[in-house]
């Protein structure tokens, strides 16, 4: 990485895709790809199967991908839910929030399973977060917001379950 440029590149002529591989696939050759135009994701919050036909992906989407590598302070992320019908190939998207949200976290015991809440940092002066939002993924709306106040900032929100002390 040192002196060789960025470890990732952006080619705006290409269409972003989501790859889905069956849970019991025997090899990566069974990966299926689904085009999701203008879906520029850095951090997926969660994904799960919804019955036999559908996969749901929740992630912040970078709205201004051309700035992602050179001017991260100009990038705005909006939270989206993507539904992929793996039988028909149909992809649908819903914007859950247009607020600048990134670096989401959930209760880790729900990774890969349907979950209700996600906690995301509110973009401020990158990489500093000016607050945190609790999103209800069922009702698809913000349920709680906390701003840190002047002179304060945070980073990536981390979910800690109530019984965390018992886990250790």
């Amino acid at each position: 990485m040192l002196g060789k440029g960025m470890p990732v590149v952006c080619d705006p002529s290409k269409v972003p895709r989501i790859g889905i591989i069956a849970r019991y696939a025997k090899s990566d050759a069974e990966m299926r790809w689904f085009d999701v135009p203008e879906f520029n994701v850095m951090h997926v919050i969660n994904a799960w199967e919804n019955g036999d036909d559908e996969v749901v992906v929740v992630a912040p989407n970078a709205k201004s991908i051309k700035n992602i590598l050179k001017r991260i302070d100009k990038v705005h992320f909006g939270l989206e839910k993507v539904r992929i019908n793996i039988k028909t190939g149909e992809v649908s998207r819903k914007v859950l929030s247009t607020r600048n949200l990134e670096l989401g976290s959930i209760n880790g015991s729900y990774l890969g399973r349907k979950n209700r809440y996600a906690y995301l940092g509110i973009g401020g002066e990158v990489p500093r977060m000016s607050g945190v939002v609790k999103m209800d993924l069922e009702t698809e709306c913000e349920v709680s917001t906390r701003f840190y106040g002047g002179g304060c900032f945070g980073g990536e929100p981390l979910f800690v379950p109530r019984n965390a002390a018992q886990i250790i």
Side-chain angles (χ1 to χ4, degrees):
M1 258 178 51
L2 297 175
K4 297 187 183 197
M6 293 297 288
V8 295
V9 295
C10 171
D11 184 348
S13 69
K14 297 199 175 184
V15 175
R17 303 181 301 169
I18 293 177
I20 297 176
I21 189 164
R23 183 182 308 264
Y24 301 106
K26 303 234 187 285
S27 79
D28 61 351
E30 295 181 55
M31 176 86 68
R32 290 191 52 208
W33 293 97
F34 300 87
D35 288 353
V36 189
E38 298 178 14
F39 191 61
N40 307 299
V41 174
M42 301 297 283
H43 303 103
V44 172
I45 296 171
N46 200 13
W48 62 86
E49 297 166 326
N50 191 20
D52 293 334
D53 298 354
E54 187 175 65
V55 171
V56 178
V57 179
V58 176
N61 180 22
K63 298 297 183 184
S64 51
I65 192 68
K66 66 183 178 191
N67 292 311
I68 198 80
L69 301 176
K70 295 181 180 150
R71 295 293 311 269
I72 191 71
D73 58 312
K74 299 239 183 241
V75 177
H76 183 91
F77 292 87
L79 185 62
E80 292 192 27
K81 184 187 281 187
V82 178
R83 294 179 180 278
I84 302 168
N85 185 308
I86 57 175
K87 292 203 173 159
T88 67
E90 182 182 347
V91 176
S92 63
R93 294 164 55 183
K94 181 168 187 183
V95 175
L96 303 184
S97 178
T98 58
R99 189 189 294 256
N100 191 14
L101 303 175
E102 206 356 356
L103 300 172
S105 177
I106 65 167
N107 180 333
S109 62
Y110 286 94
L111 283 173
R113 296 187 307 137
K114 184 177 182 180
N115 66 297
R116 181 153 189 187
Y117 298 107
Y119 306 84
L120 296 101
I122 301 171
E125 183 183 322
V126 176
R128 300 173 178 172
M129 297 294 170
S130 62
V132 64
V133 164
K134 179 179 181 180
M135 292 291 302
D136 184 327
L137 302 178
E138 260 181 42
T139 62
E140 300 180 335
C141 65
E142 292 181 17
V143 292
S144 182
T145 304
R146 165 120 172 31
F147 286 96
Y148 302 131
C152 297
F153 63 89
E156 181 175 353
L158 176 64
F159 179 87
V160 179
R162 253 183 221 162
N163 60 352
Q166 297 171 356
I167 295 171
I168 297 174

